């Protein structure tokens, strides 16, 4: 399955090339020929050896009574038999002595790069500097990869750096995607950016910006129960949960000379493993070892000269959780309206010093004029590329220097601009936010640049058989309705879009009586009122109506549709149906039906995966939208199992339409859905989007808080009625993606 995804294929080939002996070279899910030979006795022996109290850490974070939790833990785990654990230590990886390169070709349109440099384990003194170097390279829109290689040189569609080193020495990894003709240029440019750290000290201003981003990441980690629990558990397994705080403090103390030191120590050609994955249509014949060696050595120096170390910078004081908050502050939404009609929502959450602000309005794909699919995505991509006061680089530098980030989105039914920032800097950030939201330039050059990127991303999306097949299903379910088109648009439509289209479309949507400012986080009502007035208080109406108020009808292209792709190993099938729109009598019942069908204990998971081994990826999904919805089952079996998978999905959907689900199934699905709704809203940004969306679409923000009660009120009869209305066999859209 992983080899059918170019990004995964590139990652695993990079790890295999970089590690000759260590088990890091193996895919997490193993190799098919080995997994097929594993016996039950081997599984039991593995479980009995490693799953012991002495080898486990149990972490509980959340709204629990401590004594009650301890009693329940003792009841559940007190009888767990302990014993000696025999650790199977992985083989030691020998030092790499020369550049390694391997090229592959595959059935896709885009090219991919993977690169890895051997680095020490997480407890090594150099680890904090390596992590900070990764932040500087690829964290945010002001990072060096983004600004220099993506924006300035326009060589990559995406590029990122990641540090994979835990208990054992690991790798500093770089991954990128690009048009196939740019692979060599992109590789040279990415390595050149790494070389800059070996030659020049990082400016203190750039390092301070990265420190604030790390600080924000810390607080975002503590926004969720899972984030807190996983961090505590991870570091406890390394020896002491308090190592997490020491690690963060060490990262904040990293100095420019320490970054130069690790760059010179580890980023050498002889320590590099490089993978190229190119389309078969291009081939890899030109990427000879000699040519690639010359490319690498022209970008990376071999010097490992020592760097004079200076006194570490003082650590920032970062108290992850504030304790003085009140329950009342965290449970209530305050709403008010500006004089021009803009609605403002505020939910105070003072536990963590972050705030998320979202300006949202009806928009997105539903309002794209016919023949202009992709207009929403293009418009919102260009929004952050320059306003009246600041250009794209200045926007990124300034907002990320305040420990924040700014983004713009276009979905099926809404569009918006959001900002997340350390709450102490909210007022400063709003000046940048206003420039992006209210006075975007839609520069002709930027529009054309983003159009090119959209077309490249469409190619890249087609490289992955799962989204490619899903796009086909949406087209067939929604017909000529704008929901039928992927957010990126259709290539022919995108090619025709112009800067004027973006300008007119955006300003027709952002008008006072349709706009909602949703604020969640550590912000008082007084500050929120001032910020709202500054941001949107003088927003006026624009002449002209909405670009598309009544989308065309959506005749379903029911039936069976077969797609073929050379070189893939797994088949994919989607069985889709038109489904109820959001906030209708049947929509919540369909959510619960989906809860019965999908997930680890769901009917489709059990029938497709557990009983028949018809794929690793199995289940169902329901997407209720404003004027319609889609429900689909899915599986990724081998080609020989595709017909059986389709039959099983159709059978299970027909069964739930005529027979009541059991009380146990119903209870489990409802509790899982209600709990998931609450868990999904742990972050400020998620709450801002949820409240803002309900308000902007006309349902009212309180409806979001009523969702758990609505779920728990669903009955067995409600499910049958909703499923009978939805799973009409003549409306079924069956898409199969098969190996050619």
């Amino acid at each position: 399955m992983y080899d059918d995804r170019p990004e995964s294929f590139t990652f695993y080939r990079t790890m295999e090339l970089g590690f000759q002996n260590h088990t890091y070279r193996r895919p997490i899910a193993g190799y098919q020929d080995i997994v097929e030979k594993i016996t039950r006795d081997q599984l039991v022996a593995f479980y009995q050896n490693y799953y012991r109290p002495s080898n486990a850490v149990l972490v509980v974070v959340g709204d629990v009574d401590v004594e009650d939790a301890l009693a329940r833990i003792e009841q559940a785990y007190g009888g767990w038999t302990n014993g000696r654990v025999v650790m199977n230590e992985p083989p030691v990886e020998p030092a790499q002595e020369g550049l390694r390169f391997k090229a592959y070709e595959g059935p896709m349109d885009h090219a991919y790069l993977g690169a890895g440099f051997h680095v020490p384990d997480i407890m090594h003194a150099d680890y904090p500097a390596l992590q900070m170097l990764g932040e500087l390279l690829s964290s945010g829109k002001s990072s060096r990869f983004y600004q220099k290689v993506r924006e300035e040189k326009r060589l990559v569609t995406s590029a990122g750096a990641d540090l994979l080193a835990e208990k054992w020495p690991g790798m500093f990894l770089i991954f990128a995607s690009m048009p196939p003709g740019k692979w060599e240029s992109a590789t040279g440019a990415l390595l050149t950016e790494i070389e800059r750290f070996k030659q020049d000290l990082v400016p203190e201003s750039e390092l301070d910006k990265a420190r604030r981003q790390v600080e924000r990441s810390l607080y975002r980690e503590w926004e969720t129960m899972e984030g807190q629990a996983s961090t505590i558990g991870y570091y406890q397994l390394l020896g002491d949960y308090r190592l997490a705080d020491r690690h963060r403090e060490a990262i904040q103390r990293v100095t420019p000379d320490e970054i130069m030191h690790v760059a010179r120590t580890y980023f050498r050609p002889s320590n590099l493993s490089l993978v190229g994955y190119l389309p078969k249509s291009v081939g890899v014949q030109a990427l000879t070892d000699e040519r690639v060696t010359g490319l690498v050595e022209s970008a990376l120096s071999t010097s490992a000269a020592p760097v004079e170390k200076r006194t570490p910078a003082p650590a920032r004081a970062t108290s992850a959780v504030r304790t003085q908050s009140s329950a009342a502050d965290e449970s209530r939404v305050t709403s008010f309206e500006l004089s021009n009609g803009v609605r403002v929502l505020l939910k105070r959450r003072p536990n963590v010093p972050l705030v998320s602000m979202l300006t949202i309005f009806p928009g997105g794909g539903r309002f794209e004029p016919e023949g202009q699919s992709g207009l929403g995505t293009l418009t919102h991509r260009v929004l952050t590329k320059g306003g009246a006061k600041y250009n794209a680089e200045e926007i990124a530098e300034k907002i990320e220097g305040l420990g924040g980030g700014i983004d713009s989105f276009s979905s099926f039914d809404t569009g918006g601009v959001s900002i997340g920032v350390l709450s102490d800097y909210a007022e400063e950030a709003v000046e940048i936010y206003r420039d992006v939201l209210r006075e975007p330039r839609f520069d002709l050059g930027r529009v054309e640049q983003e159009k090119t990127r959209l077309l490249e991303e469409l190619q890249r999306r087609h490289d992955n058989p799962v989204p490619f097949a899903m796009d086909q299903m949406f087209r067939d379910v929604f017909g000529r309705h704008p929901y039928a088109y992927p957010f990126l648009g259709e290539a022919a439509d995108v090619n025709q879009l112009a800067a004027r289209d973006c300008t007119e479309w955006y300003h027709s949507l952002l008008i006072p009586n349709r706009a909602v400012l949703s604020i969640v986080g550590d912000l008082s009502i007084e500050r929120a009122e001032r910020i709202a007035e500054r941001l949107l208080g003088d927003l006026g109406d624009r002449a002209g109506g909405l670009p598309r108020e009544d989308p065309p009808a959506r005749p379903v292209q029911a039936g069976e549709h077969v797609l073929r792709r050379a070189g893939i190993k797994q088949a994919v099938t989607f069985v889709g149906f038109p489904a109820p729109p959001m906030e209708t009598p049947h929509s919540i019942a369909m959510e619960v039906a989906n809860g019965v069908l999908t997930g680890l204990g769901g009917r489709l998971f059990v029938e497709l995966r557990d009983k028949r081994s018809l794929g690793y990826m199995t289940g169902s999904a329901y997407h209720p939208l404003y004027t319609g919805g889609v429900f689909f089952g899915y599986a990724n079996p081998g080609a020989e199992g595709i017909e059986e998978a389709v039959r099983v999905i159709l059978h299970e959907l027909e069964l739930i339409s005529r027979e009541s689900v059991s009380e146990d199934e119903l209870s489990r699905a409802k509790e899982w859905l209600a709990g998931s709704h609450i868990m999904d809203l742990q972050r400020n940004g998620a709450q801002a989007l949820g409240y803002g969306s309900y308000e902007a679409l006309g349902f009212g923000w309180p409806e979001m808080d009523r969702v758990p009660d609505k779920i728990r009120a669903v009955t067995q009869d409600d499910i049958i009625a909703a499923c009978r209305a939805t799973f009409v066999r003549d409306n079924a859209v069956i898409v199969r993606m098969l190996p050619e």
Side-chain angles (χ1 to χ4, degrees), residues 586-711:
H586 285 333
S587 62
I588 294 294
M590 290 305 299
E591 294 276 14
V592 179
N594 185 52
V596 172
L597 290 164
T598 199
L600 294 179
R603 292 183 178 185
L604 287 175
F605 184 93
V606 171
E607 294 296 329
L608 289 165
R609 181 169 161 177
D610 283 358
K611 291 185 178 180
R612 297 174 174 82
S613 299
L614 291 172
Y616 183 81
M617 181 191 76
T618 61
S620 61
Y622 170 48
H623 294 291
L625 305 171
Y626 187 78
T627 64
V630 59
F631 190 107
F632 56 89
Y634 57 88
N636 70 323
E640 70 284 351
I642 197 82
E643 297 306 323
E644 185 179 5
V646 170
R647 285 196 299 271
V648 169
I649 293 170
L650 287 170
H651 172 74
E652 290 302 322
L653 298 186
E654 190 270 335
L655 186 65
I656 201 173
S657 302
R658 61 179 168 82
E659 295 183 7
S660 295
V661 301
S662 71
E663 288 289 349
D664 285 346
E665 286 180 308
L666 181 63
S667 175
R668 186 171 60 248
K670 291 199 289 189
E671 289 309 310
W672 172 64
L673 285 166
S676 296
H677 176 80
I678 295 169
M679 296 291 283
D680 290 344
L681 295 173
Q682 292 180 85
R683 293 194 184 279
N684 291 341
Q687 291 201 24
L689 178 60
Y691 287 119
S693 297
Y694 272 87
E695 183 67 24
L697 290 174
F699 303 115
W701 63 264
E703 289 304 307
M704 193 182 80
D705 289 335
R706 298 186 183 120
V707 169
D709 290 338
K710 290 181 178 180
I711 289 170

Side-chain angles (χ1 to χ4, degrees), residues 361 369 372 375-376 378-380 382-383 386 436-447 497-511 542-543 545 547:
F361 42 84
Q372 292 190 321
L375 176 59
L378 178 62
T379 299
H380 284 271
V382 180
L383 271 177
V436 170
L437 177 71
R438 300 289 306 282
E439 301 183 84
R441 279 208 299 261
F442 294 112
D443 175 76
L444 177 61
R446 285 290 187 179
V447 170
L497 297 176
R500 182 177 178 180
D501 298 321
C502 297
T503 303
E504 293 179 352
W505 188 78
Y506 177 72
H507 288 299
S508 73
L509 295 172
L510 182 61
I511 54 179
R542 298 264 180 162

Side-chain angles (χ1 to χ4, degrees), residues 326-577:
S326 68
D329 281 338
E330 298 183 17
S331 63
R332 185 166 52 87
V333 173
T334 300
S335 62
F336 57 94
E337 192 171 294
L338 302 182
S339 60
N340 58 357
V342 173
R343 289 156 287 167
V344 183
L345 310 175
L346 170 66
K347 184 170 184 180
R348 290 204 64 213
R349 301 184 76 203
N351 266 19
V352 177
L354 297 174
V355 64
S356 292
M357 294 180 272
L358 166 67
T359 303
I360 187 170
F361 42 84
R366 181 160 59 95
F367 291 92
E368 290 175 346
E370 192 166 4
Q372 292 190 321
S373 65
L375 176 59
T377 297
L378 178 62
T379 299
H380 284 271
R381 292 272 184 94
V382 180
L383 271 177
T384 59
K385 301 303 182 184
K389 293 182 180 178
Y390 308 113
N391 62 31
E393 187 170 358
E394 290 169 336
I395 290 168
E397 288 279 353
K398 287 179 179 294
I399 204 70
E400 291 172 14
L402 298 175
I406 191 167
D407 205 1
S408 180
F409 74 91
S410 177
S411 66
F412 286 106
D413 293 303
T414 58
V417 183
S418 64
I419 188 170
V421 68
L422 294 168
S423 52
D424 286 347
Y425 306 114
E427 282 79 4
E428 291 180 67
V430 163
E431 294 307 309
I432 307 155
Y433 188 15
R434 178 186 166 93
D435 195 46
V436 170
L437 177 71
R438 300 289 306 282
E439 301 183 84
R441 279 208 299 261
F442 294 112
D443 175 76
L444 177 61
R446 285 290 187 179
V447 170
E448 292 303 313
Q449 181 179 335
E450 290 304 319
K451 277 174 58 176
T452 300
R453 291 214 178 98
L454 277 181
L455 294 170
E456 291 173 357
E457 288 180 42
L458 275 169
Q459 279 191 323
R460 184 180 170 193
R461 185 172 176 84
H462 293 168
D463 289 347
N464 191 325
V466 174
F468 186 72
M470 185 182 291
D471 286 349
Q472 182 65 51
M473 182 197 66
F474 267 76
R475 288 189 189 94
D476 295 330
V477 167
F478 289 111
R480 291 181 60 241
H481 191 282
Y483 290 162
Y485 303 106
F487 293 149
L488 298 178
E490 299 285 357
D493 291 347
V494 172
N495 264 318
Q496 300 300 315
L497 297 176
R500 182 177 178 180
D501 298 321
C502 297
T503 303
E504 293 179 352
W505 188 78
Y506 177 72
H507 288 299
S508 73
L509 295 172
L510 182 61
I511 54 179
N513 64 357
R514 304 176 78 246
V516 176
L517 174 59
S518 182
I519 305 173
V520 179
D522 182 25
L523 206 68
S524 68
I525 182 66
E526 294 79 15
R527 292 178 70 193
E529 288 172 345
R530 290 194 296 268
I531 284 172
E533 193 62 42
R534 172 61 184 147
L535 186 65
L536 291 162
D538 59 349
L539 178 66
D541 285 313
R542 298 264 180 162
L546 297 178
R548 175 188 246 172
E549 299 190 49
D550 298 305
R554 50 187 184 97
V556 180
Q557 305 297 313
E560 305 196 11
H561 309 267
V562 177
L563 309 172
R564 295 191 180 273
R565 175 68 60 83
I568 63 173
K569 298 177 181 179
Q570 295 288 113
V572 178
T573 185
F574 288 93
V575 180
F577 292 84

Side-chain angles (χ1 to χ4, degrees), residues 7-8 10-16 18-19 22-28 90 93 115-124 126-135 138 160-175 234 238 247 266-267 271:
E7 296 89 349
S8 299
T10 306
F11 170 76
Y12 286 119
R13 300 298 86 77
T14 303
M15 297 298 285
E16 287 173 356
F19 291 99
H22 197 283
T23 51
Y24 279 160
R25 76 187 312 271
R26 303 174 186 167
I28 293 173
E93 183 68 26
F117 296 89
H118 289 277
V119 293
D121 63 82
I122 193 171
M123 303 305 292
H124 194 278
D126 286 345
Y127 187 91
L130 285 163
Q131 187 165 352
M132 185 61 80
L133 196 153
E135 289 282 328
S138 67
D162 193 17
L163 186 55
L164 196 162
E166 299 184 348
K167 183 178 179 180
W168 295 281
M171 272 194 164
F172 188 99
L173 295 163
I174 298 165
F175 293 101
Y234 176 79
L238 291 175
H247 185 189
Y266 303 108
F267 297 152
N271 193 38

